[in-house]
Amino acid sequence: MASRLKFESSCEIGVFARLTNAYCIVPAGCTDSFVSVFENELADAVPVVKASIGGTRILGRLCVGNKNGLLLPNTTTDQELQHLKDSLPGQVVVKRVDERLSALGNCIACNDHVALTNPDLNKETEEIISDVLGVEVFRQTIAGNILVGSFCAFSNKGGLVHPRTSVEDLEELSTLLQVPLAAGTVNRGSDVIAAGIAVNDWAAFCGSDTTATELSVVESVFRLRDGRPGALGADVRKSLVESCFL
């Protein structure tokens, strides 16, 4: 199921929230109504934690994570780091990364198995991503953009990428990620996919400007209507790549 919501007056909810299969992080000081949308949909499956990073609320752009770990930029304070370590499930490794490109959420996209990274990230950061998140790392671009964390979003079941991604690139990315992909938009035509969506294997939250057509693509490609987690539907087996230009 995909839900539509706003963070205060902004439709770019992916800027402010980070959702994985093990936890959800939302900004400290956000309204109870914003938090309740996540809590109601996630139904106690994962904790919803209020936090800040470097004193800011743009959590989704500054951090990146999956069920195995959470990577934080070097602007994260010791107090913020400890709060997240105390609040997240015990199996989640929380690590602060000394990386020049500190908006990690813009530079890295991942699920529980694979990470795509900005080609300009340093080698040490790439090794940390692999170790902490337990993923295979690929330096990649999306439709010619190096900010891979901004222009795509994917779970273990599917993914949405920049609308100008070529069919050839879709096929290559789908092979790397081993999930079906669609090229599309959110928030009424926005190509900054990750800014407008927070998604895991069973729930998606989109900005309130997202149209019914866009929402339908999200629910289809992320297989949110599939009640059998991990099961590949016949239509997905037949065609791993879907190309939906909105």
Side-chain angles (χ1 to χ4, degrees):
M1 180 68 180
S3 305
R4 286 182 282 201
L5 72 161
K6 275 186 178 182
F7 178 78
E8 296 179 355
S9 61
S10 175
C11 295
E12 296 190 327
I13 61 141
V15 170
F16 302 98
R18 172 62 62 187
L19 174 62
T20 74
N21 290 332
Y23 55 86
C24 177
I25 307 174
V26 297
C30 65
T31 63
D32 290 340
S33 60
F34 182 78
V35 177
S36 68
V37 174
F38 287 92
E39 290 177 336
N40 292 341
E41 185 64 33
L42 299 174
D44 298 325
V46 299
V48 179
V49 177
K50 291 184 178 182
S52 63
I53 296 177
T56 73
R57 302 194 292 178
I58 53 172
L59 311 181
R61 299 303 84 212
L62 293 180
C63 71
V64 66
N66 61 12
K67 71 173 184 179
N68 302 313
L70 175 68
L71 298 177
L72 303 168
N74 54 19
T75 55
T76 309
T77 68
D78 292 342
Q79 184 178 3
E80 291 168 337
L81 178 64
Q82 192 59 50
H83 168 66
L84 285 164
K85 286 183 175 180
D86 293 342
S87 303
L88 297 183
Q91 79 275 12
V92 177
V93 178
V94 182
K95 184 173 180 63
R96 185 166 46 195
V97 181
D98 187 16
E99 165 62 52
R100 176 179 59 86
L101 302 173
S102 59
L104 300 178
N106 287 338
C107 297
I108 305 162
C110 71
N111 60 15
D112 293 335
H113 308 291
V114 179
L116 305 180
T117 68
N118 182 328
D120 294 337
L121 286 181
N122 68 47
K123 183 66 176 176
E124 183 180 344
T125 300
E126 184 178 327
E127 292 171 356
I128 292 171
I129 294 168
S130 178
D131 292 343
V132 174
L133 302 185
V135 294
E136 193 171 359
V137 180
F138 298 96
R139 293 176 181 261
Q140 193 70 38
T141 60
I142 302 289
N145 296 288
I146 63 174
L147 296 179
V148 292
S150 298
F151 293 102
C152 73
F154 57 93
S155 68
N156 298 325
K157 297 170 72 174
L160 191 66
V161 300
H162 191 288
R164 293 190 179 178
T165 305
S166 68
V167 173
E168 292 79 11
D169 286 350
L170 272 176
E171 292 173 347
E172 178 186 349
L173 289 168
S174 185
T175 301
L176 285 179
L177 302 174
Q178 289 295 294
V179 297
L181 297 177
T185 58
V186 293
N187 280 335
R188 204 178 298 275
S190 172
D191 57 15
V192 190
I193 306 295
I197 190 171
V199 63
N200 67 8
D201 282 357
W202 65 89
F205 302 89
C206 302
S208 58
D209 279 352
T210 301
T211 67
T213 302
E214 290 170 335
L215 206 65
S216 178
V217 172
V218 167
E219 291 185 337
S220 175
V221 74
F222 287 107
R223 290 157 51 202
L224 300 178
R225 303 185 185 108
D226 185 354
R228 299 167 298 145
L232 257 150
D235 58 330
V236 178
R237 282 197 297 268
K238 187 182 297 183
S239 175
L240 260 181
V241 179
E242 298 174 22
S243 182
C244 302
F245 293 89
L246 303 180

